[in-house]
Amino acid sequence: MTERIRWVPALDHPELMADPVRAAVARFDGSVRAAAIDPEVADTAAFCERYGQDLAASANCVVLAAKRGGEVVYAACMVAATQRADVNGVLRRHLGARKASFAPMDEATGMTGMEYGGITPFGLPQGWPILVDKTVHDTPWVVVGSGLRASKLRVPGPLLAELPGAEVLSLTK
């Protein structure tokens, strides 16, 4: 059953965003929208099916741990839900790492202050690179996490390039 989703101005509904996300969204002019969802369908494919959203207009934010020597650098990657990030090719080389992998769930949630399945590029720790796939950037409106499993954000794709530390690249094979 497809349910209707109601997008509202995110700044008018701070309860729909995790604490670190609220401050990051506040700097934008109101173009960020938010919607409450069933947290049981926070995963992208289930969300799109339940709410009749286009999978190609949704993006996943994955947290990477890039290692070189004894150091670990964390980065967020925004990839369209219909694509896979080239973690051990493009991303590993771009981050100058010997090895890159998805950060463990407890590390990703602990460092971001966000819920697993709701991690978003808004409000990430200072200094983290935010690598945005060109496909996501070029999407007029893209659905991303809100930091919570119980809501989503809808933003203009090009707006993601305005986040601190953001860089637009081709991140897929």
Side-chain angles (χ1 to χ4, degrees), residues 134-145:
K134 185 167 176 13
T135 301
V136 174
H137 174 271
D138 294 346
T139 302
W141 286 95
V142 65
V143 175
V144 300

Side-chain angles (χ1 to χ4, degrees), residues 2-168:
T2 300
E3 292 182 32
R4 182 171 162 80
I5 192 160
R6 184 172 168 257
W7 297 106
V8 295
L11 296 177
D12 293 347
H13 293 275
E15 75 281 2
L16 294 176
M17 296 173 279
D19 291 340
V21 177
R22 282 186 210 112
V25 167
R27 68 181 280 244
F28 295 100
D29 64 0
S31 57
V32 177
R33 313 295 279 178
I37 65 165
D38 177 349
E40 295 299 315
V41 295
D43 294 331
T44 306
F47 161 78
C48 289
E49 183 177 337
R50 167 79 71 85
Y51 294 101
Q53 300 294 298
D54 183 3
L55 195 60
S58 290
N60 293 319
C61 183
V62 295
V63 176
L64 293 182
K67 300 171 184 171
R68 182 175 190 93
E71 293 188 35
V72 178
V73 172
Y74 292 92
C77 302
M78 294 302 302
V79 180
T82 55
Q83 298 181 316
R84 297 253 184 241
D86 185 5
V87 174
N88 280 303
V90 174
L91 290 166
R92 180 188 58 77
R93 285 190 300 274
H94 183 77
L95 294 169
R98 183 184 54 75
K99 182 181 178 191
S101 59
F102 296 110
M105 178 175 55
D106 58 333
E107 285 181 27
T109 57
M111 290 186 294
T112 63
M114 300 179 203
E115 296 175 357
Y116 189 74
I119 294 178
T120 184
F122 294 92
L124 291 170
Q126 188 172 6
W128 278 25
I130 300 172
L131 307 176
V132 181
D133 186 73
K134 185 167 176 13
T135 301
V136 174
H137 174 271
D138 294 346
T139 302
W141 286 95
V142 65
V143 175
V144 300
S146 66
L148 304 172
R149 289 185 62 86
S151 57
K152 293 283 187 182
L153 298 179
R154 184 174 180 252
V155 302
L159 182 134
L160 298 173
E162 297 177 32
L163 292 169
E167 195 173 345
V168 178

